[in-house]
Amino acid sequence: MSNKIRRSMPLFPMGTVMKLTELSARQIRYYEEHQLIRPERTEGNRRLFSLYDIDRLLEVKDLLDEGINMAGVKKILLQEENKEVHSNVKEAAGKDKKDFTNEEVRKLLRKELINAGRFHRDDLPPGERYRYFH
Amino acid sequence: MSNKIRRSMPLFPMGTVMKLTELSARQIRYYEEHQLIRPERTEGNRRLFSLYDIDRLLEVKDLLDEGINMAGVKKILLQEENKEVHSNVKEAAGKDKKDFTNEEVRKLLRKELINAGRFHRDDLPPGERYRYFH
DNA sequence: AATTCATGTAATAAAACCTAACATAGGTTT
DNA sequence: AAACCTATGTTAGGTTTTATTACATGAATT
């Protein structure tokens, strides 16, 4: 019923993520090298990031800004991830889960997120309205 | 407090929008030609679509699927847009609005949407979890 | 039959992205 | 201090994706 974006859906290209996170492409690729994110790829091998990935990148950035090095960041984030894996597994175990294909997920996304938001234009920053209704 | 995406923010490239809407690039450009969407452009002139645009495209698609032609679609959607303009103007008038730069909007987005969602990994479709925690 | 509409397709150019390699400023270790 | 490591910058060469423009087409309309 909400129009939240499915956080795991690969949607954003490098350029968008760079702007959103204020990280360089080099940094983003470096963090991927260290397994802190695992963006999907298009058929043509271009990265597609999810909101998860963006969250992750912002966390990495914060931790590095605090003076923690990559080893520390990895420890912290990967241990967090493990907690989530466990809770997810537990949750899934009790849920008689179904496997969705990418295509199915896209359809879900369309219905659940995007359609839900149609005609609900109430979350714009005031100054932005005029860019769409000049 | 929510992690809704700011619906006017230009984020998505053509390829993503094609998958999400199941429209061809030709169709999307054609609808833009008819002013039904007005996606932003990158410095390099590539389109960047917002959730608004995606909404719009899905509406166009639906209406066309119902057998309505472009003239009708335009009438319907542009009149709807006008209603919104009016309500937005009224709203804005009473609100002592501020004009945000793109950069400011990005910062707001980061804080308001993305950070709000950190560590809230509870909206995944069951089958998708394993793509991130293998 | 001629025209219009909505879309497909092809050609060409440029933007954005990829990988890989080398460069480097600041710490760290020997 | 010399050598090393870390996190990031930069550059080069290649590929993918997107842009524009032009022409093509089947279905509907005139």
Side-chain angles (χ1 to χ4, degrees):
Chain A
M1 209 49 55
S2 87
N3 65 349
K4 278 192 294 186
I5 273 222
R6 203 163 288 277
R7 306 190 71 76
S8 65
M9 174 135 261
L11 294 172
F12 307 100
M14 180 59 87
T16 296
V17 175
M18 289 171 64
K19 283 186 226 149
L20 249 31
T21 61
E22 282 175 324
L23 292 167
S24 69
R26 183 66 166 91
Q27 287 174 303
I28 294 170
R29 296 194 191 108
Y30 185 67
Y31 305 151
E32 179 185 8
E33 222 173 87
H34 283 272
Q35 315 263 38
L36 294 172
I37 52 171
R38 295 182 182 77
E40 299 278 319
R41 301 289 180 126
T42 66
E43 273 196 10
N45 197 38
R46 289 164 119 78
R47 272 167 265 255
L48 276 188
F49 301 85
S50 67
L51 281 177
Y52 266 138
D53 296 323
I54 296 178
D55 285 358
R56 229 45 190 336
L57 289 171
L58 291 171
E59 289 169 16
V60 172
K61 195 186 182 192
D62 285 352
L63 293 172
L64 288 175
D65 282 352
E66 287 175 35
I68 299 166
N69 65 10
M70 286 295 285
V73 173
K74 279 160 101 165
K75 196 78 168 185
I76 293 166
L77 292 188
L78 296 179
Q79 118 193 342
E80 222 158 59
E81 183 172 292
N82 278 337
K83 275 193 233 154
E84 290 176 37
V85 168
H86 293 146
S87 83
N88 283 340
V89 166
K90 227 169 55 181
E91 206 184 302
K95 265 205 174 175
D96 188 20
K97 71 186 176 53
K98 172 166 176 291
D99 248 339
F100 290 94
T101 67
N102 252 333
E103 185 49 32
E104 287 170 320
V105 171
R106 258 198 290 283
K107 279 183 182 143
L108 282 176
L109 179 70
R110 274 196 292 275
K111 282 193 197 159
E112 212 171 289
L113 314 176
I114 295 174
N115 286 337
R118 293 208 210 178
F119 308 110
H120 295 167
R121 306 292 159 76
D122 50 319
D123 50 348
L124 276 173
E128 281 295 281
R129 295 182 202 277
Y130 295 91
R131 303 215 293 152
Y132 284 82
F133 312 110
H134 60 258
Chain B
M1 208 50 58
S2 86
N3 64 350
K4 278 192 294 189
I5 272 221
R6 203 163 288 278
R7 305 189 72 76
S8 65
M9 173 134 262
L11 294 172
F12 306 100
M14 181 58 87
T16 295
V17 175
M18 289 172 64
K19 282 188 227 149
L20 249 31
T21 61
E22 281 174 326
L23 293 167
S24 70
R26 182 68 167 91
Q27 288 174 302
I28 294 170
R29 296 194 192 108
Y30 185 67
Y31 305 151
E32 179 185 8
E33 224 173 85
H34 283 272
Q35 315 262 39
L36 295 173
I37 52 171
R38 295 183 183 76
E40 299 278 320
R41 301 287 180 126
T42 66
E43 271 196 11
N45 197 38
R46 288 163 119 77
R47 273 167 264 255
L48 276 188
F49 301 85
S50 68
L51 281 178
Y52 267 136
D53 296 323
I54 296 177
D55 284 358
R56 232 39 190 342
L57 289 172
L58 291 172
E59 288 169 18
V60 172
K61 194 185 183 194
D62 284 352
L63 293 172
L64 288 176
D65 282 350
E66 287 173 36
I68 300 167
N69 66 9
M70 286 295 286
V73 173
K74 278 159 103 164
K75 196 78 166 183
I76 293 166
L77 291 189
L78 296 179
Q79 119 192 340
E80 221 159 60
E81 184 172 293
N82 278 338
K83 276 192 232 156
E84 291 176 36
V85 168
H86 294 147
S87 83
N88 284 339
V89 166
K90 228 171 51 181
E91 206 185 300
K95 266 206 173 174
D96 186 22
K97 70 185 179 53
K98 175 166 174 293
D99 248 338
F100 290 93
T101 67
N102 253 331
E103 184 48 32
E104 288 171 320
V105 172
R106 258 198 291 285
K107 279 183 183 145
L108 282 176
L109 178 69
R110 274 196 293 273
K111 281 191 197 160
E112 213 170 288
L113 315 175
I114 296 174
N115 286 338
R118 293 208 211 178
F119 308 111
H120 295 167
R121 308 290 160 77
D122 49 322
D123 51 348
L124 275 173
E128 280 295 280
R129 295 180 202 278
Y130 295 92
R131 306 214 290 152
Y132 285 82
F133 313 110
H134 59 259

